[in-house]
């Protein structure tokens, strides 16, 4: 997804933005495939409930399953055996569906957006702390984080920035970053988000005479 040229574009955008401010901008991108167990099990349970029910409604019920397997003769099978067969069928569908979804990217891509946002926020916060963005001299660090397979982006700014910049601005930066991925130009999305972040940082946190570069200006793959 990202070529060497793309990495160069992002690095150049960070350097250009940071030249106008004492703020620090860090960009990270994750290709991790998150598994959402609660969503996966709920979806598997619905499928396990629906498949045997639909099969029975259309005329292929427990007695037919038993006859097909040759375990019991379909004719004269007791009701207890039919109930047992139905329950076993549900369990088998549940196990099979859970296994298939566990290894399928669909379970991540179509997980509820709230779950994906929560997971990506946790991952971004971890990167914010692990990369030392909170240790800049002026507490003016900003993280732009993108989770490719979750289709979610996150922007985290240090506390000093939040005292002067409205959260709506970071929503615009996040939207610009996400738009780049949607048009199959992730580097362009980062460039647009970096430009927006740099503009507001330059307005509220102009460069100091020394203006040290405290954090890496490269796109970090995490």
């Amino acid at each position: 997804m990202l070529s060497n040229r793309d990495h160069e574009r992002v690095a150049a955008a960070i350097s250009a933005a940071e030249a106008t401010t004492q703020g620090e901008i860090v960009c990270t991108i994750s290709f991790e495939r998150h598994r959402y167990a609660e969503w996966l099990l709920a979806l598997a349970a619905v499928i396990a409930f629906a498949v045997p029910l639909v099969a029975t409604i259309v005329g292929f019920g427990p007695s037919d399953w038993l006859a097909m397997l040759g375990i019991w003769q379909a004719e004269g099978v007791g009701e207890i055996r039919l109930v047992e067969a139905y329950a076993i069928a549900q369990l088998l569908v549940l196990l099979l569906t859970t296994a298939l979804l566990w290894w399928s990217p669909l379970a991540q891509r179509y997980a509820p957006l709230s779950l994906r946002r929560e997971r990506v926020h946790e991952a971004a916060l971890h990167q914010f702390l692990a990369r030392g963005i909170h240790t800049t001299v002026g507490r003016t660090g900003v993280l732009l984080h993108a989770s490719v397979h979750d289709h979610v982006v996150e922007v985290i700014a240090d506390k000093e920035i939040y005292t002067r910049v409205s959260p709506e601005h970071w929503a615009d930066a996040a939207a610009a970053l996400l738009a780049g991925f949607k048009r199959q130009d992730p580097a362009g999305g980062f460039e647009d988000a970096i430009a927006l972040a740099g503009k507001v940082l330059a307005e509220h946190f102009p460069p100091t005479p020394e203006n040290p570069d405290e954090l890496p200006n490269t796109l970090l793959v995490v």
Side-chain angles (χ1 to χ4, degrees):
M1 178 174 287
L2 290 165
S3 65
N4 290 336
R5 175 56 184 155
D6 290 330
H7 281 272
E8 293 171 357
R9 289 169 57 192
V10 175
I14 296 173
S15 297
E18 290 184 351
T20 64
T21 175
Q22 62 177 296
E24 292 287 329
I25 301 172
V26 176
C27 297
T28 56
I29 184 169
S30 171
F31 294 91
E32 182 179 1
R33 290 195 180 276
H34 294 129
R35 291 187 171 94
Y36 299 89
E38 59 273 58
W39 155 250
L40 185 150
L41 291 174
L43 183 59
V46 170
I47 294 173
F49 172 81
V51 170
L53 177 62
V54 172
T56 301
I57 290 174
V58 299
F60 186 64
S63 60
D64 301 297
W65 309 339
L66 297 177
M68 183 179 65
L69 294 174
I71 299 175
W72 296 289
Q73 293 298 321
E75 190 174 330
V77 172
E79 292 183 0
I80 297 298
R81 294 299 188 190
L82 295 178
V83 172
E84 290 175 346
Y86 194 91
I88 291 172
Q90 286 187 313
L91 178 60
L92 290 175
V93 174
L94 176 65
L95 295 175
L96 179 60
T97 304
T98 300
L100 291 175
L101 290 176
W102 184 259
W103 297 107
S104 169
L106 297 179
Q108 177 184 17
R109 175 64 185 90
Y110 294 104
L113 182 58
S114 59
L115 288 179
R116 287 183 280 133
R117 281 178 172 169
E118 182 179 354
R119 184 70 60 84
V120 173
H121 175 75
E122 292 174 356
L125 187 58
H126 172 76
Q127 290 298 322
F128 187 87
L129 298 174
R131 303 290 171 182
I133 302 173
H134 62 298
T135 63
T136 59
V137 174
R139 300 298 300 268
T140 55
V142 176
L143 172 68
L144 305 177
H145 178 79
S147 177
V148 174
H149 297 300
D150 283 298
H151 293 238
V152 174
V153 301
E154 183 79 12
V155 179
I156 299 180
D158 211 344
K159 66 177 185 179
E160 187 63 27
I161 296 175
Y162 268 109
T163 64
R164 306 189 196 182
V165 182
S166 67
E168 288 75 16
H169 177 83
W170 305 120
D172 292 340
L177 179 53
L178 188 60
F181 280 85
K182 289 182 177 179
R183 64 175 184 265
Q184 302 297 313
D185 181 20
F190 273 108
E191 287 177 323
D192 294 341
I194 291 165
L196 288 171
K199 182 179 180 181
V200 74
L201 288 174
E203 178 182 350
H204 295 281
F205 304 96
T208 61
E210 299 80 13
N211 203 31
D213 194 358
E214 301 177 69
L215 296 171
N217 292 349
T218 56
L219 176 59
L220 303 171
V221 178
V222 300

